[in-house]
């Protein structure tokens, strides 16, 4: 997802508070390990990346909400526009 929308810094700023921890992974093995070690409430996945399909199904079956990265593309683009306008 990071390469798709450049989301890591923005997500960490938006959600990386005391209430939320943002962990970014770029491959299914790292994502599997992180999911096994943590108890996420929400997971954002590039659902168009077939490499994450099996893990996405497993996460959903565990009752965790899975959001497609596409839901963040428009809001992140708007934030970038505002940031550039404020320069």
């Amino acid at each position: 997802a990071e390469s798709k929308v450049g989301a890591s810094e923005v997500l960490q700023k938006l959600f990386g508070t005391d209430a939320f921890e943002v962990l970014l992974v770029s491959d299914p093995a790292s994502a599997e390990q992180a999911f096994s070690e943590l108890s996420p409430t929400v997971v954002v996945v590039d659902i168009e990346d077939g490499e994450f399909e099996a893990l996405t199904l497993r996460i959903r079956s565990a009752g965790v909400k899975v959001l497609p990265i596409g839901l963040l593309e428009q809001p992140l683009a708007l934030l970038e526009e505002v940031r550039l306008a404020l320069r």
Side-chain angles (χ1 to χ4, degrees), residues 27-29 31-32 35 51-60:
D27 62 272
E32 178 72 41
F35 180 71
E51 292 183 16
F52 289 91
E53 185 175 357
L55 179 58
T56 300
L57 293 173
R58 182 172 167 267
I59 291 169
R60 282 187 175 134

Side-chain angles (χ1 to χ4, degrees), residues 4-75:
K4 188 167 187 174
V5 295
S8 66
E9 187 175 327
V10 175
L11 287 174
Q12 287 173 335
K13 286 180 181 177
L14 288 174
F15 300 115
T17 67
D18 292 337
F20 293 97
E21 179 181 351
V22 175
L23 177 65
L24 301 161
V25 295
S26 59
D27 62 272
S30 298
E32 178 72 41
Q33 180 179 354
F35 180 71
S36 296
E37 294 173 358
L38 304 171
S39 298
T41 304
V42 176
V43 177
V44 179
V45 177
D46 181 356
I47 60 171
E48 294 176 4
D49 186 340
E51 292 183 16
F52 289 91
E53 185 175 357
L55 179 58
T56 300
L57 293 173
R58 182 172 167 267
I59 291 169
R60 282 187 175 134
S61 70
V64 176
K65 292 185 189 308
V66 176
L67 301 176
I69 190 66
L71 287 178
L72 299 178
E73 289 177 329
Q74 183 65 27

